[in-house]
Amino acid sequence: MAIYIDPPLWPAHGTLFSHLVSDSSLAELHAFAAAAGIPKRAFDGDHYDVPERRFDELVAAGAVSVEARVLVRRLIASGLRIPARRRNKALKVPLLNRWEAIMPGHDALFLDLLDRWSEPHRHYHGCTHLLSVLEALDLLTEPDEAPRTVLLAAWFHDAVYRGAAGQDEEESARLAEKRLEEAGLPEEEVAETARLVRLTSDHRPEPGDGDGALLCDADLSILGGEPDEYARYVAAVRKDYAHIGDADFAAGRAAVVRQLLELDPLFHHRRARDLWLDAAHRNLESELA
């Protein structure tokens, strides 16, 4: 049991804020906050927002200072994390911090990708899905980092999204090739990123393709969510395909669900299977029924 705090990086109300979390229970978190005199209004579902001026004091009181990415990983692993899709706060800052960790100095490309992921016709395939995939990669690779090509593939895998299965992934891969080449990445990294993006069309990496399996597992992690979370996912997907009639959507969705159930394995990494496999099968079978 421990209390963690990240550096004051989050701007609001004319100052910077840190996040304070527990790796085991909200009761422990509330007790620490009460002892430190942190007001209840600072609690935001799974963490406390604390101003920069309190950082040193809270560390002295026993909070463990860790990088923001490490704090998020601890929170996810605890089971206390509120999924990004359930938050109303803008995701630009957390996504920017993640982008800067792999592509520092390429702000224009970040803003272009952010605009794409924020397109108004996206309901499931938006910024919250992108952040969820990146967080799933955190979980699967803890305590290490995912390879940069895998992270870049996550950023690009739905960068083009019009609701045309297969075509969207191909256009996203071509966009990755063009923009990453312009950014000066080595040819082999560009090619590998595009290859990984194309794998998200059918989620069938070849045996031994560890990086492909990693991205596919993270992309499908929503399938292993709690029933209410899965129901929101299905409803959002329906909105993404609002241009398709009910009968055609029902038939197409049933085919997708059957295809997912036939994937063997559905998840490739042991940690992914432990986290999501049983729940994914229950969710898919329930939807099909």
Side-chain angles (χ1 to χ4, degrees):
M1 294 173 54
I3 299 294
Y4 293 90
I5 188 170
D6 60 7
L9 299 173
W10 316 96
H13 311 300
T15 188
L16 297 175
F17 282 77
S18 295
H19 295 145
L20 191 73
V21 308
S22 167
D23 69 348
S24 60
S25 76
L26 291 180
E28 177 192 31
L29 179 61
H30 291 318
F32 182 92
I38 300 172
K40 292 181 179 179
R41 65 177 180 273
F43 181 64
D44 187 19
D46 57 12
H47 70 275
Y48 281 84
D49 293 312
V50 293
E52 180 178 20
R53 60 182 173 79
R54 306 261 347 241
F55 180 83
D56 291 339
E57 171 191 347
L58 293 172
V59 171
V64 179
S65 176
V66 295
E67 294 180 2
R69 289 169 59 84
V70 174
L71 180 139
V72 170
R73 291 178 179 182
R74 297 286 188 271
L75 186 57
I76 294 172
S78 74
L80 301 175
R81 171 73 163 176
I82 294 179
R85 64 184 58 84
R86 290 169 54 190
R87 295 190 176 277
N88 294 322
K89 292 184 176 181
L91 300 180
K92 181 177 179 179
V93 171
L95 286 173
L96 176 59
N97 288 336
R98 286 175 175 272
W99 178 258
E100 284 291 319
I102 58 170
M103 290 288 287
H106 292 276
D107 295 349
L109 180 52
F110 165 74
L111 292 173
D112 177 56
L113 288 170
L114 187 67
D115 284 346
R116 291 174 179 273
W117 283 95
S118 302
E119 291 167 337
H121 67 275
R122 298 173 183 248
H123 298 275
Y124 171 66
H125 297 87
C127 287
T128 52
H129 170 58
L130 170 59
L131 184 55
S132 293
V133 172
L134 294 170
E135 289 182 345
L137 289 172
D138 285 346
L139 270 180
L140 295 178
T141 57
E142 171 73 28
D144 298 319
E145 305 285 341
R148 181 163 78 155
T149 51
V150 175
L151 294 170
L152 286 171
W155 277 91
F156 277 96
H157 81 284
D158 281 327
V160 176
Y161 183 76
R162 300 188 181 92
Q167 181 179 337
D168 288 342
E169 289 82 2
E170 178 59 29
E171 291 188 24
S172 294
R174 292 178 183 175
L175 179 70
E177 290 169 336
K178 179 177 185 294
R179 298 306 302 275
L180 293 178
E181 181 181 349
E182 292 173 349
L185 261 66
E187 182 178 342
E188 59 273 17
E189 281 196 76
V190 174
E192 174 65 0
T193 300
R195 182 190 74 83
L196 292 169
V197 170
R198 291 185 171 99
L199 283 179
T200 62
S201 177
D202 61 7
H203 301 94
R204 294 180 183 271
E206 294 291 330
D209 182 5
D211 286 354
L214 187 62
L215 178 64
C216 290
D217 285 356
D219 192 29
L220 295 181
S221 61
I222 182 60
L223 302 179
E226 294 296 323
D228 59 340
E229 182 182 12
Y230 185 82
R232 288 193 296 271
Y233 148 70
V234 174
V237 169
R238 179 65 186 104
K239 290 181 181 179
D240 277 356
Y241 289 89
H243 57 286
I244 297 177
D246 287 343
D248 288 340
F249 176 80
R253 179 64 188 173
V256 169
V257 171
R258 291 191 186 97
Q259 182 184 42
L260 289 168
L261 283 169
E262 291 169 0
L263 285 178
D264 186 17
L266 176 58
F267 295 107
H268 302 79
H269 287 265
R270 178 178 178 180
R271 189 174 295 182
R273 293 194 296 269
D274 291 343
L275 287 168
W276 303 311
L277 184 58
D278 289 345
H281 280 151
R282 286 196 300 271
N283 288 330
L284 291 166
E285 288 166 359
S286 176
E287 182 184 357
L288 194 59

